[in-house]
């Protein structure tokens, strides 16, 4: 939420930017406080200004910022202009293309690049770059050109992009049918108990912090969507572990959420608490060592290393592998040196 429009007489010419439905267990809470948990980069002042200008609706009625949200309230934020993520501007941004033919391309995305516009990131995204370099990319079900799947802003690694409708449909079905191959490498806090295993747990929006996802189980299982992650320990590095994660499903933040659920939050994953020292000693020297690691790797330690799929035209299975990026590699080396020093 970055700018606000004058009050409108009707919502006929307004565009929906956000919509939320309050959970059945929602306690009465001012709507300005409630929306701060839902909308990334929003301040309370901006939300209050939006309410004052008549841009926040509850059950299709404009409300002021002191309105108390109740269970099952349908909250919509409406403005005169379309959401910025729908106003795509081509930008001359270089892409690291590892493979390309007439039907698709595979790119190795660097950490820090947002995949598609939205939530305060309206330029400099992978899609801004794609529509500059390629004409007539097909839209996916969310009207995002070329995009078959996505990875988080601060996750690096491989993505496949469709160049035509047939390829988009074929690849999307592979991801849906779980026949594609996706392997990630991550550094997680703690020394994992098992050498390998499978995490199964339905993933959905966190009821109190909408910027996070969480695992739902038991009676709440239906609040999330099924998610399966297979993991294998690659290297034990004292108070952290290097792991391989293979995805069966592709839920938002899946590895980050599943690993936290297992008790092994990703190293320096700020959104999920991994930027704190979760394992180790209380020595000042150790604290300084970890903070130095955070400086080398100022993001969650996650890289989409391997990507495999069947080519829609040739029927051939293609597998692409990428190097672990330098920031993660340097962090791994520091932990190796630390463990070696501790063993001496």
């Amino acid at each position: 939420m970055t700018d606000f429009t004058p009050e409108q007489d009707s919502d006929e010419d307004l565009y929906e930017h956000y919509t939320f439905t309050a959970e059945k267990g929602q306690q009465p809470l001012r709507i300005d406080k409630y929306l701060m948990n839902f909308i990334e980069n929003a301040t309370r002042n901006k939300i209050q200004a939006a309410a004052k200008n008549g841009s926040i609706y509850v059950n299709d009625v404009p409300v002021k910022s002191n309105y108390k949200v109740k269970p099952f309230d349908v909250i919509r934020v409406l403005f005169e202009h379309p959401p910025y993520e729908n106003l795509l501007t081509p930008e001359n941004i270089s892409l690291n293309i590892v493979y390309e033919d007439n039907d698709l391309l595979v790119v190795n995305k660097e950490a820090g690049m947002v995949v598609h516009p939205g939530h305060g990131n309206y330029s400099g995204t992978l899609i801004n770059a794609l529509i500059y370099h390629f004409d007539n990319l097909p839209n996916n079900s969310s009207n995002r050109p070329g995009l078959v799947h996505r990875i988080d802003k601060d996750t690096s690694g491989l993505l496949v992009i469709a160049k035509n409708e047939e390829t988009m449909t074929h690849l999307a079905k592979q991801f849906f049918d779980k026949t594609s191959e996706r392997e990630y490498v991550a550094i997680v806090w703690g020394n994992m108990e098992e050498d390998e295993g499978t995490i199964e747990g339905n993933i959905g929006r966190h009821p109190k912090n909408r910027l996070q996802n969480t695992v739902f189980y038991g009676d709440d299982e239906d609040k999330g969507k099924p998610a399966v992650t297979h993991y294998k320990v690659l290297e034990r590095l004292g108070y952290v572990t290097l792991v391989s994660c293979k995805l069966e499903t592709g839920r938002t933040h899946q590895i980050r959420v599943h690993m936290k659920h297992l008790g092994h939050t990703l190293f320096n994953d700020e959104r999920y608490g991994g930027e704190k020292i979760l394992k180790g000693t209380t020595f000042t020297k150790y604290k300084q060592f970890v903070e130095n690691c955070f400086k080398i790797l100022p993001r969650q330690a996650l890289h989409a290393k391997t990507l495999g799929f069947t080519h829609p035209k040739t029927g051939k299975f293609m597998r692409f592998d990428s190097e672990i990026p330098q920031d993660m590699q340097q962090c791994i080396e520091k932990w190796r040196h630390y463990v070696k020093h501790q063993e001496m």
Side-chain angles (χ1 to χ4, degrees):
M1 295 174 71
T2 54
D3 56 30
F4 305 96
T5 59
E7 193 168 344
Q8 301 291 307
D9 294 328
S10 76
D11 66 0
E12 287 181 9
D13 297 315
L14 297 180
Y15 296 88
E16 182 174 283
H17 283 233
Y18 302 96
T19 180
F20 310 104
T21 302
E23 301 279 347
K24 64 180 179 182
Q26 176 65 46
Q27 297 296 312
L29 180 67
R30 280 178 61 115
I31 198 162
D32 51 359
K33 289 185 176 179
Y34 178 88
L35 286 175
M36 282 182 69
N37 291 329
F38 280 65
I39 302 175
E40 198 167 4
N41 301 324
T43 66
R44 196 169 175 188
N45 284 343
K46 287 179 179 177
I47 293 169
Q48 288 173 345
K52 188 176 180 181
N53 288 339
S55 297
I56 298 177
Y57 289 65
V58 176
N59 306 322
D60 294 323
V61 177
V63 297
K64 297 302 180 187
S65 55
N66 62 354
Y67 174 84
K68 297 283 181 69
V69 177
K70 300 185 293 295
F72 305 113
D73 275 350
V74 177
I75 301 152
R76 299 165 71 212
V77 183
L78 305 173
F79 294 122
E80 272 185 318
H81 58 84
Y84 289 121
E85 55 263 41
N86 293 350
L87 304 173
L88 296 174
T89 306
E91 295 179 37
N92 187 5
I93 302 166
S94 63
L95 293 170
N96 182 1
I97 298 173
V98 299
Y99 175 82
E100 182 182 359
D101 61 26
N102 291 332
D103 300 295
L104 56 85
L105 63 143
V106 175
V107 298
N108 190 2
K109 185 188 82 70
E110 63 183 30
M113 176 183 261
V114 177
V115 170
H116 57 77
H119 298 303
N121 298 292
Y122 303 114
S123 64
T125 75
L126 177 65
I127 282 187
N128 293 114
L130 287 171
I131 62 175
Y132 177 89
H133 293 288
F134 302 98
D135 295 325
N136 304 317
L137 290 174
N139 282 340
N140 66 11
S141 58
S142 302
N143 290 320
R144 287 164 179 157
L147 225 56
V148 179
H149 60 129
R150 61 180 292 277
I151 56 179
D152 298 327
K153 173 187 175 183
D154 289 324
T155 300
S156 53
L158 299 173
L159 286 160
V160 60
I161 308 297
K163 284 188 173 183
N164 52 58
E165 294 284 355
E166 186 183 346
T167 300
M168 174 71 78
T169 302
H170 198 290
L171 289 173
K173 189 174 189 305
Q174 290 185 55
F175 278 76
F176 181 79
D177 291 342
K178 305 173 188 174
T179 57
S180 61
E181 180 184 324
R182 284 170 290 170
E183 181 190 7
Y184 290 69
V185 173
I187 306 169
V188 301
W189 278 109
N191 188 8
M192 298 189 77
E193 203 170 305
E194 305 292 335
D195 286 337
E196 56 187 279
T198 297
I199 311 165
E200 296 185 63
N202 288 15
I203 289 178
R205 289 282 190 184
H206 196 292
K208 293 183 178 175
N209 184 348
R210 300 293 290 192
L211 302 182
Q212 286 187 7
N213 283 348
T214 191
V215 172
F216 290 98
Y217 45 89
D219 293 340
D220 291 331
E221 199 173 67
D222 61 348
K223 290 182 180 178
K225 293 180 179 178
V228 181
T229 305
H230 305 285
Y231 70 88
K232 184 176 182 179
V233 171
L234 298 176
E235 192 172 353
R236 298 182 184 276
L237 297 165
Y239 300 119
V240 300
T241 306
L242 184 66
V243 293
S244 158
C245 296
K246 289 189 176 180
L247 296 185
E248 246 189 60
T249 52
R251 308 301 175 202
T252 301
H253 299 173
Q254 179 170 319
I255 293 171
R256 300 164 71 182
V257 173
H258 268 172
M259 282 297 164
K260 178 167 185 171
H261 179 68
L262 203 64
H264 296 282
T265 304
L266 262 63
F267 188 77
N268 209 11
D269 187 350
E270 186 176 357
R271 182 163 296 192
Y272 289 92
E275 86 288 7
K276 299 179 179 68
I277 299 177
L278 300 180
K279 299 288 179 182
T281 72
T282 56
F283 297 128
T284 305
K285 201 171 180 180
Y286 173 75
K287 183 183 176 186
Q288 187 62 56
F289 163 76
V290 174
E291 286 175 352
N292 286 339
C293 288
F294 287 160
K295 286 176 185 174
I296 288 170
L297 183 65
R299 62 178 181 102
Q300 69 258 11
L302 186 62
H303 175 66
K305 189 175 189 299
T306 305
L307 178 63
F309 53 85
T310 300
H311 194 286
K313 286 282 173 67
T314 66
K316 178 185 173 186
F317 190 82
M318 307 180 77
R319 182 182 286 106
F320 300 91
D321 193 64
S322 60
E323 295 289 326
I324 294 173
Q326 194 172 7
D327 57 356
M328 262 184 83
Q329 195 59 54
Q330 285 181 338
C331 186
I332 292 165
E333 290 298 337
K334 277 189 77 70
W335 277 102
R336 281 176 183 153
H337 181 76
Y338 179 84
V339 170
K340 190 176 178 181
H341 181 72
Q342 293 300 106
E343 289 173 351
M344 287 173 64

